[in-house]
Amino acid sequence: MWVGYNNAGFLGSHRSIVLTCPLRTSFVSQWGRRELGCGHVSSSVKAVLLDESKEKIRLPKVDMWSVHKFGGTCVGTSERIKNVAEVIVNDGSDGKLVVVSAMSKVTDMMYDLIYKAQSRDDSYIAAADAVFEKHRLTATDLLDGEDLASFLAQLHDDVNNLKAMLHAIYIAGHATESFSDFIVGHGELWSAQMLSYVVRKSGLDCKWMDTREVLIVNPTSSNQVDPDFVESEKRLEEWFSRNPSIMGALLRARQVTIWTDVNGVYSADPRKVVFGANVLHPRTIIPVMRYDIPIMIRNIFNLASPGTMICQPSMNVSEDDQKLDSPVKGFATIDNVALVNVEGTGMAGVPGTASAIFSAVKDVGANVIMISQASSEHSVCFAVPEKEVKAVAEVLQSRFRQALDAGRLSQVAIVPNCSILAAVGQKMASTPGVSATLFNALAKASINVRAIAQGCSEYNITVVVKREDCIRALRAVHSRFYLSKTTIAMGIIGPGLIGGTLLDQLRDQAAVLKEEFNIDLRVMGITGSRGMLLSELGIDLSRWRELMKENDCTADSNVASCYYDWLRKGIHVITPNKKANSGPLDQYLKLRALQRQSYTHYFYEATVGAGLPIISTLRGLLETGDKILQIEGIFSGTLSYIFNNFIGTQSFSEVVAEAKQAGYTEPDPRDDLSGTDVARKVIILARESGLKLELSDIPVQSLVPEPLRASASAEAFMKQLPQFDQDMAKERQKAEDAGDVLRYVGVVDAVRQEGRVELRRYKKDHPFAQLSGSDNIIAFTTTRYKEQPLIVRGPGAGLNDRRRIFSDILRLASYLGAPS
């Protein structure tokens, strides 16, 4: 087994150590140009082991080699180191190469030593002792006898040497990069040494390799290195000549397994998508891609999890199956980003402007994460970490002072508090419409995109959004590309007839919505006039009626007045309640303005036409450039039922009683017969059409006899109503004599800027005369539909409000990212 150090990214995250099963390695530090440094190794060990083109190298000859990489949390304690050793021992491969990071938190402790020393803080000595003690205690728990004595002796020498170096840094008040790398890299050395001793205790042949003796790299810019394969291979051959226990040729590893503290590679950060870990450095992939070696991501704390395999698609996968896969494989986000925008008309066509900008940014050591430039060349926009934006702004202001003063550049603008969202997938390049789907999902979620970037390879689309919008944006696009379910947490206010049947529908449709539409609807709260039920995980809708009986608290009956605050706090509202949109005009205008400006949705289709698409039809007409002349309709299912059945010899009071018995009316039928409900619908449609009317502006013909409007109860009203049947019978007779029928309608006259509610007569061949049951009918007369009005007709009273609300819930889910 080998133990070795790895640090620039070929085998994983920053600053690691390598271990393999019949040989072992440690770490490498960079001295000068070629010796590998503590901060610059990751690729080299694996790259050497996997490079089969250099046939002269004589390496251990085995049939199967596997490579393992363990992160810092995997070796964070003595118990975890034992677990890692057990995983290594249980691997049945003939040869094993194992890479381990420093124990968790140790790298931070080592950097703290340097910071304290160069700050001339005498506590660096105590901090170094704490590092020693942490490893001494761990080793004492893991080792015994000669192994423990040998490790502690080496640890003691290492820490003493580090104290001497830290003292030099203390005197100088500064630490060079080489000194820092050398000091910090000891964390990997110690964890690898301890692990190698533990593996050896199991009886496994294990060799220690100090890769500083083997691996050579050439430093490049930006703290990166490139491995020198030829020289490293020579040194590797020399190392094996000094350790001749096993000889032969290593061709390639069969698999690389990276062990971490998550179950695999997620398609997005699970902490943001649901209510991943940094596993792979980009350079980790380069050598394994070259030889089609699979990478397995496993969770050391959950061995039962199969993990994630990163490899070429199987030859057995059909082309049709591959087409069914989402073209986007994952989403990445970067928080705490600021946008820098350099713009001015003097930039267009001037060579070297972009070079000067990024040269200045490089001078302050800032990392440019994303670049975006329009074809007009009028501006260059780029993103940098927020902690670096102040230095970037200052250097650009200084570098371009003359151009700014002369007006060739108009400004260097900073947009703080941003996040980057990137969609990634190889198949994005061959799939039309990926960008459209991405931006459609963001638009439906009311996400404003500040900047966009895409390379010509089309493997990545990057957008910049407000930091506060990042999680919502990620959830929207993640679910839109079928990578997760769209989860909607709901509260139901008013579990009466409509609310109760809606809850039953949600219960019955939950499984279908999850499986077919990727929507996870969870009712988190139900509140009525006498009780409230809450659940953090979602209420069991099969028992909601039973559970509601066990609760007793009072809910606010004036629900509509809460809409504004809810929307302002980011809570979407779906309602059949007409009071908010038909209340005082200034409050309505304030509510609609907030809806347009905020990132929340306010759906109220059910306020006018029960289950009919009246609001959406009206908006569709207006949005396509049509002009409303008049809207006329039978808006009350209750009154539609009453006048459809007010025929023959049946009295008006008998029809009302029949409607009440059938459940069409409110508990007090006067609420329907007064016409106020129809007037509210007229006001809503008038305001949607652009008219600024108050409810008091609408004349309403009430069907409640004047003497009965003050009746003490609904029962008293119904008992006295027959006394006034003659009045309605006379109206019916007049209509029949003229070949007409009676209908109770609401009218919006956009030309005269008015509305009204009244009992009207229509010819028997008129569409309004053709209704049956509780049907509603609405006629839109517009400049486009002037000769023949656009008619919308369908069921009115009953449970159709519930169906419309359910439809709005699905529409909201689509806006939030669910496939539509």
Side-chain angles (χ1 to χ4, degrees):
M1 174 171 180
W2 301 351
V3 181
Y5 164 86
N6 154 21
N7 188 21
F10 282 57
L11 282 175
S13 60
H14 196 64
R15 201 164 275 97
S16 323
I17 298 277
V18 188
L19 226 140
T20 58
C21 252
L23 299 162
R24 65 188 154 113
T25 48
S26 171
F27 90 11
V28 186
S29 69
Q30 177 183 4
W31 297 102
R33 186 183 72 86
R34 302 179 63 78
E35 297 287 343
L36 196 55
C38 296
H40 305 287
V41 185
S42 295
S43 57
S44 305
V45 172
K46 186 167 69 172
V48 172
L49 293 176
L50 301 180
D51 191 348
E52 62 183 358
S53 63
K54 314 298 191 240
E55 295 181 355
K56 63 181 180 179
I57 296 302
R58 309 300 297 172
L59 299 176
K61 184 179 180 67
V62 292
D63 293 329
M64 290 193 306
W65 277 87
S66 62
V67 178
H68 294 269
K69 158 68 171 64
F70 293 93
T73 56
C74 299
V75 291
T77 65
S78 59
E79 191 62 34
R80 292 179 180 179
I81 292 175
K82 291 177 185 177
N83 293 339
V84 167
E86 183 177 355
V87 169
I88 296 169
V89 171
N90 290 336
D91 180 356
S93 303
D94 295 333
K96 305 166 201 176
L97 172 68
V98 180
V99 182
V100 295
S101 298
M103 295 178 67
S104 57
K105 307 301 181 184
V106 166
T107 298
D108 292 338
M109 295 173 72
M110 303 301 280
Y111 274 119
D112 187 56
L113 291 178
I114 299 169
Y115 175 77
K116 283 182 165 62
Q118 66 185 5
S119 301
R120 295 194 170 100
D121 183 346
D122 291 329
S123 65
Y124 79 87
I125 298 175
D129 291 336
V131 171
F132 174 86
E133 187 64 13
K134 178 180 179 67
H135 289 84
R136 186 192 70 80
L137 291 174
T138 303
T140 301
D141 193 30
L142 291 170
L143 311 175
D144 52 30
E146 292 183 4
D147 288 346
L148 177 59
S150 176
F151 175 77
L152 291 181
Q154 183 64 54
L155 177 65
H156 185 270
D157 290 344
D158 287 344
V159 172
N160 282 341
N161 290 334
L162 290 179
K163 285 182 178 179
M165 295 185 70
L166 291 168
H167 182 65
I169 294 172
Y170 179 93
I171 294 173
H174 173 70
T176 65
E177 183 179 356
S178 295
F179 267 45
S180 296
D181 285 345
F182 182 80
I183 292 171
V184 174
H186 276 73
E188 283 84 353
L189 266 175
W190 298 325
S191 63
Q193 289 170 1
M194 286 189 291
L195 179 57
S196 68
Y197 281 120
V198 176
V199 172
R200 183 183 296 174
K201 287 176 63 177
S202 68
L204 210 59
D205 184 17
C206 190
K207 296 291 184 181
W208 170 262
M209 175 190 288
D210 185 341
T211 52
R212 289 174 294 185
E213 302 173 4
V214 175
L215 301 180
I216 304 300
V217 296
N218 294 316
T220 64
S221 59
S222 303
N223 199 34
Q224 296 290 326
V225 296
D226 291 327
D228 186 331
F229 287 103
V230 175
E231 183 62 29
S232 296
E233 288 164 357
K234 289 180 181 178
R235 295 194 176 203
L236 183 60
E237 186 174 11
E238 293 173 1
W239 189 90
F240 278 111
S241 68
R242 298 192 302 271
N243 298 270
S245 58
I246 302 174
M247 295 300 291
L250 170 62
L251 297 179
R252 67 169 63 180
R254 65 177 178 85
Q255 177 175 293
V256 175
T257 303
I258 297 179
W259 296 86
T260 181
D261 56 358
V262 293
N263 286 339
V265 177
Y266 290 86
S267 54
D269 187 338
R271 295 166 297 181
K272 296 181 178 180
V273 173
V274 268
F275 282 145
N278 297 322
V279 176
L280 295 174
H281 189 286
R283 299 186 72 186
T284 304
I285 307 299
I286 297 173
V288 292
M289 285 181 61
R290 180 177 180 184
Y291 298 106
D292 289 341
I293 297 172
I295 295 180
M296 176 66 75
I297 311 299
R298 297 283 307 276
N299 188 347
I300 189 65
F301 305 117
N302 183 14
L303 298 180
S305 173
T308 298
M309 174 74 79
I310 303 174
C311 60
Q312 291 289 343
S314 171
M315 297 299 292
N316 297 325
V317 179
S318 68
E319 185 176 339
D320 290 340
D321 289 339
Q322 291 190 41
K323 288 180 179 179
L324 293 175
D325 286 344
S326 172
V328 177
K329 286 299 182 184
F331 293 93
T333 58
I334 304 175
D335 295 324
N336 302 318
V337 169
L339 278 179
V340 181
N341 188 43
V342 182
E343 64 180 59
T345 55
M347 294 175 59
V350 179
T353 302
S355 175
I357 291 172
F358 294 111
S359 176
V361 174
K362 179 184 177 183
D363 289 344
V364 295
N367 177 35
V368 177
I369 305 172
M370 188 205 80
I371 303 172
S372 178
Q373 181 177 17
S375 59
S376 66
E377 302 180 59
H378 179 71
S379 66
V380 174
C381 174
F382 57 94
V384 298
E386 201 149 34
K387 64 183 180 181
E388 299 174 357
V389 72
K390 181 179 180 181
V392 170
E394 290 174 352
V395 73
L396 290 176
Q397 292 282 357
S398 175
R399 185 70 58 89
F400 293 99
R401 174 50 53 199
Q402 184 177 355
L404 288 165
D405 292 343
R408 296 194 303 277
L409 291 183
S410 58
Q411 66 172 342
V412 176
I414 305 299
V415 182
N417 303 319
C418 294
S419 291
I420 286 178
L421 169 64
V424 182
Q426 187 174 7
K427 289 174 62 178
M428 290 168 57
S430 58
T431 306
V434 173
S435 296
T437 302
L438 177 75
F439 291 111
N440 184 50
L442 292 173
K444 284 186 173 182
S446 298
I447 304 295
N448 182 41
V449 175
R450 306 302 300 264
I452 306 167
Q454 180 179 14
C456 62
S457 68
E458 301 181 61
Y459 292 162
N460 176 297
I461 301 174
T462 300
V463 299
V464 179
V465 300
K466 291 181 180 179
R467 184 190 305 162
E468 63 196 55
D469 296 339
C470 183
I471 293 178
R472 191 155 40 85
L474 178 59
R475 288 175 177 172
V477 297
H478 194 263
S479 59
R480 184 61 186 85
F481 283 95
Y482 302 89
L483 298 179
S484 69
K485 291 180 174 61
T486 299
T487 301
I488 299 180
M490 303 171 54
I492 304 294
I493 300 177
L497 178 62
I498 295 175
T501 52
L502 174 63
L503 285 165
D504 292 339
Q505 185 177 21
L506 292 172
R507 175 200 63 206
D508 297 339
Q509 295 294 316
V512 174
L513 291 174
K514 281 185 180 181
E515 293 301 320
E516 297 186 12
F517 298 96
N518 240 24
I519 300 172
D520 184 6
L521 293 180
R522 302 183 187 183
V523 177
M524 317 301 284
I526 304 172
T527 183
S529 60
R530 295 186 300 275
M532 178 182 290
L533 180 62
L534 299 173
S535 171
E536 293 183 357
L537 300 177
I539 295 169
D540 179 359
L541 295 185
S542 66
R543 302 176 56 229
W544 74 266
R545 287 184 174 86
E546 171 191 343
L547 295 172
M548 279 293 289
K549 293 177 181 178
E550 299 173 1
N551 293 266
D552 186 18
C553 63
T554 303
D556 184 4
S557 60
N558 195 9
V559 176
S561 64
C562 301
Y563 291 174
Y564 183 86
D565 288 336
W566 290 343
L567 291 169
R568 188 167 54 86
K569 293 176 181 178
I571 300 173
H572 308 287
V573 175
I574 299 174
T575 182
N577 191 323
K578 294 171 279 293
K579 291 187 178 179
N581 286 9
S582 62
L585 179 62
D586 59 337
Q587 293 183 18
Y588 165 81
L589 296 175
K590 182 180 176 183
L591 188 64
R592 289 303 309 277
L594 175 64
Q595 179 196 6
R596 287 188 290 266
Q597 297 167 6
S598 69
Y599 294 132
T600 45
H601 298 285
Y602 176 40
F603 296 152
Y604 45 88
E605 184 72 74
T607 59
V608 174
L612 302 182
I614 305 304
I615 298 292
S616 55
T617 299
L618 174 56
R619 285 187 175 176
L621 292 170
L622 295 173
E623 289 170 359
T624 56
D626 207 349
K627 183 179 180 180
I628 302 298
L629 302 178
Q630 178 176 282
I631 303 173
E632 181 181 14
I634 297 174
F635 296 103
S636 169
T638 301
L639 295 173
S640 176
Y641 177 88
I642 288 174
F643 284 99
N644 286 337
N645 290 277
F646 184 42
I647 55 177
T649 60
Q650 196 171 21
S651 69
F652 185 73
S653 62
E654 290 173 340
V655 176
V656 173
E658 181 182 295
K660 187 175 186 299
Q661 181 67 29
Y664 285 118
T665 72
E666 294 293 333
D668 188 337
R670 286 175 294 181
D671 292 339
D672 298 296
L673 298 175
S674 68
T676 302
D677 185 70
V678 176
R680 289 188 181 278
K681 296 177 180 180
V682 169
I683 276 292
I684 291 171
L685 290 175
R687 290 174 175 177
E688 290 288 315
S689 303
L691 279 62
K692 292 181 170 55
L693 298 177
E694 295 281 7
L695 187 61
S696 59
D697 296 330
I698 306 296
V700 179
Q701 180 181 352
S702 175
L703 299 180
V704 180
E706 180 71 31
L708 302 185
R709 294 176 187 176
S711 294
S713 65
E715 290 73 17
F717 165 75
M718 291 300 297
K719 186 175 181 179
Q720 295 174 302
L721 184 59
Q723 301 174 18
F724 301 88
D725 279 342
Q726 283 299 321
D727 295 337
M728 291 301 299
K730 289 179 182 178
E731 292 293 331
R732 180 176 60 186
Q733 190 61 50
K734 291 178 184 178
E736 289 178 350
D737 291 345
D740 297 339
V741 296
L742 294 175
R743 296 292 183 262
Y744 195 77
V745 300
V747 180
V748 176
D749 190 332
V751 177
R752 296 183 178 181
Q753 301 280 298
E754 64 182 24
R756 55 190 175 275
V757 176
E758 59 191 11
L759 187 64
R760 283 187 174 184
R761 288 159 44 177
Y762 293 90
K763 294 298 181 183
K764 292 184 179 180
D765 61 352
H766 192 278
F768 284 18
Q770 308 300 315
L771 298 184
S772 62
S774 61
D775 281 2
N776 284 172
I777 186 169
I778 294 88
F780 294 90
T781 303
T782 69
T783 53
R784 191 180 300 155
Y785 296 97
K786 190 171 185 179
E787 301 301 325
Q788 185 175 359
L790 175 65
I791 301 291
V792 179
R793 171 182 171 176
L799 303 181
N800 296 293
D801 287 21
R802 174 259 292 172
R803 298 190 182 100
R804 187 68 251 174
I805 295 170
F806 189 76
S807 176
D808 277 348
I809 292 173
L810 297 183
R811 181 156 65 110
L812 175 62
S814 174
Y815 275 44
L816 298 179
S820 56

